[in-house]
């Protein structure tokens, strides 16, 4: 099985991060720092906020580097 350091899941959603697309605006880390942490590994902690808060933040990513899918509805 392929492992990917940039795929993160909780029971509801899977969030993916594409570092080559990220423009380092740090919007995610600034606005939801309990989830998107810039000095801790793993840098995305999906236990740091509610699923709806995380989805709202992922949608604001200006580069599209952050994406999410719902575990139950889509093939993540
Ligand atoms: S909001 Fe998107 S583009 Fe900005 S730092 Fe986070 S992942 Fe990168």
């Amino acid at each position: 099985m392929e492992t990917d350091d940039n795929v993160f899941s909780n029971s509801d959603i899977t969030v993916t991060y594409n570092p080559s697309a990220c423009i380092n605006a740090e919007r995610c880390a600034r606005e939801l720092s309990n989830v998107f942490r810039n000095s801790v590994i793993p840098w995305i902690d999906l236990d740091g906020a509610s699923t709806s808060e995380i989805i709202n933040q992922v949608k604001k990513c200006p580069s599209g580097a952050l994406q999410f899918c719902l575990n139950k509805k889509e093939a993540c």
Side-chain angles (χ1 to χ4, degrees):
M1 188 173 141
E2 190 178 331
T3 58
D4 189 333
D5 289 343
N6 293 309
V7 178
F8 307 85
S9 295
N10 65 14
S11 57
D12 300 320
I13 57 169
T14 295
V15 172
T16 59
Y17 169 65
N18 178 357
S20 60
C22 176
I23 56 172
N24 289 314
E26 293 188 5
R27 180 170 191 166
C28 53
R30 211 172 47 239
E31 296 182 357
L32 200 61
S33 59
N34 286 343
V35 174
F36 302 101
R37 308 171 299 174
N38 47 20
S39 59
V40 186
I41 304 275
W43 83 275
I44 295 179
D45 176 13
L46 294 186
D47 294 327
S50 70
T51 293
S52 60
E53 285 177 295
I54 294 167
I55 289 173
N56 285 339
Q57 193 64 49
V58 167
K59 285 179 176 173
K60 291 192 219 167
C61 172
S63 69
L66 290 172
Q67 303 281 335
F68 78 96
C69 63
L70 301 174
N71 293 341
K72 287 182 186 149
K73 290 195 179 165
E74 302 157 42
C76 290

